[in-house]
Amino acid sequence: MSSTAGRRRPGDDITICGAILGPTGPTVDVHVADGRVAEIIPGAHAGTSGRRVDASGKMVLPGLWDAHVHMVQWATARRRIDLAAARSATHAADMLANALRARQTPPHAGEVVVGYGYRDALWPDAPHAWLLERAAPGIAVALQSADLHTAWLSPAALRLLGRPEHPTGILREQECFDAMAAFVGVEPDLLDQWVLEAAAAAAARGVTGILDFEYADTVADWSRRAARGRLPLHVTCSIARELLPQALDLRLRTGRPVPGAEGDLEVGPVKLFTDGSLNTRTALCDEPYPPSHPGALAAADAGSGHAAMGYAELVDTMEQAAKGGIEAAVHAIGDTANGIALDAFEHVAGSGRIEHAQLLR
């Protein structure tokens, strides 16, 4: 169904006629009043008031929800060089060079060329700053992996970051997050425009709501966007760990509306990390990672991953949040990390969720 079907739009009175309900039917008419499904009427073309839309042969489904999105990341990724098809570090550098040659104008002074989407865990060669220098001499380049946990920087980008002596140009975890935040800085008004355009694109494909885990003050950011006008979809705003005290002071509660947002925004969980990611080899695992290219194990902190938050700290933070009515969303990818997260949920005995849970025993 259209993303407007689940949103209140006073005065709407529409009947979607002759639609197939779900993958196997039956054929029904769907009456939408004030932006909500008011009635599902068996049989096609039943008599109802208001505007009628012929949907014969088309399927009608509930609105879709994206339960884990980084909206600023996606909005900016739509304007970046896509490296998802790269089969090696050399191939990724060649794709970068080709994309720059295809541009109508070269990068201007001070511009950082941003790419995304590569997966280097199984590449036969290692990414390195000199490969980017060869592909784009003198140009500041910042490439972010598909899992968002690794940044691959050119020498010019490292100089902008104040780290010209970095040996490889590969930054992981918090260093990556900080670098990409510095490089993709966009004026707030323009960034809000990009995010709203991305939200509208998602809504046009049937997405009616998202849970935004962006690394930012999502409550404040989405409140500012909502002040521009009606949002194209419903947004649940996660709370960054460092903003938990502020959220508790403001008496924000998971599942409650964000004050002043007219129902478009809802308070979500606090996001907590126990480890990193598999591609970056920082997911915390019981067994060490096998080498894929020279230096891979050394780059992954002794080979078994990275503990972003230990059990005691995780429990303490979850208990603090739970006392204030805020649930936890715990990022856990490796099997060790998932064990820590499950043990913490058992101890706290509160509701919440594990994000990803990719490697389980």
Side-chain angles (χ1 to χ4, degrees), residues 7 226 229-231 233-236 261-266:
R7 307 293 310 288
R230 187 130 197 139
L231 296 175
L233 38 67
H234 186 90
V235 180
T236 300
E262 299 183 4
D264 288 326
L265 304 180
E266 179 181 309

Side-chain angles (χ1 to χ4, degrees), residues 76-84 92 95-101 103 113-118 141-144:
T76 54
R78 299 170 82 221
R79 291 166 168 79
R80 297 177 180 177
I81 299 172
D82 186 353
L83 300 171
M95 291 175 68
L96 167 67
N98 291 336
L100 290 174
R101 280 193 292 269
R103 288 177 55 153
V113 174
V114 179
Y116 78 101
Y118 69 88
V141 178
L143 308 181
Q144 192 166 26

Side-chain angles (χ1 to χ4, degrees), residues 205-229:
R205 289 162 174 79
V207 177
T208 59
I210 61 170
L211 172 47
D212 190 2
F213 281 109
E214 192 54 65
Y215 309 120
D217 186 346
T218 58
V219 171
D221 290 348
W222 278 105
S223 295
R224 184 180 64 247
R225 293 162 193 152
R228 289 186 169 201

Side-chain angles (χ1 to χ4, degrees), residues 160-242:
L160 287 178
L161 202 61
R163 303 188 64 178
E165 304 303 323
H166 193 280
T168 64
I170 302 300
L171 305 181
R172 291 183 169 85
E173 299 305 327
Q174 194 61 48
E175 285 189 322
C176 164
F177 304 151
D178 293 343
M180 295 308 298
F183 287 140
V184 301
V186 177
E187 289 297 323
D189 284 348
L190 179 58
L191 186 59
D192 285 348
Q193 177 183 326
W194 290 0
V195 169
L196 292 172
E197 288 173 358
R205 289 162 174 79
V207 177
T208 59
I210 61 170
L211 172 47
D212 190 2
F213 281 109
E214 192 54 65
Y215 309 120
D217 186 346
T218 58
V219 171
D221 290 348
W222 278 105
S223 295
R224 184 180 64 247
R225 293 162 193 152
R228 289 186 169 201
R230 187 130 197 139
L231 296 175
L233 38 67
H234 186 90
V235 180
T236 300
C237 305
S238 71
I239 299 167
R241 180 194 177 190
E242 61 270 20

Side-chain angles (χ1 to χ4, degrees), residues 44-115:
H45 304 293
T48 55
S49 61
R51 186 161 63 95
R52 301 170 68 85
V53 176
D54 184 9
S56 299
K58 296 181 173 60
M59 187 188 304
V60 64
L61 297 169
L64 305 176
W65 269 77
D66 191 329
H68 188 122
V69 64
H70 296 264
M71 204 61 181
V72 168
Q73 295 289 331
W74 184 55
T76 54
R78 299 170 82 221
R79 291 166 168 79
R80 297 177 180 177
I81 299 172
D82 186 353
L83 300 171
R87 300 183 300 274
S88 66
T90 302
H91 186 204
D94 290 342
M95 291 175 68
L96 167 67
N98 291 336
L100 290 174
R101 280 193 292 269
R103 288 177 55 153
Q104 294 183 345
T105 56
H108 58 74
E111 179 183 353
V112 178
V113 174
V114 179

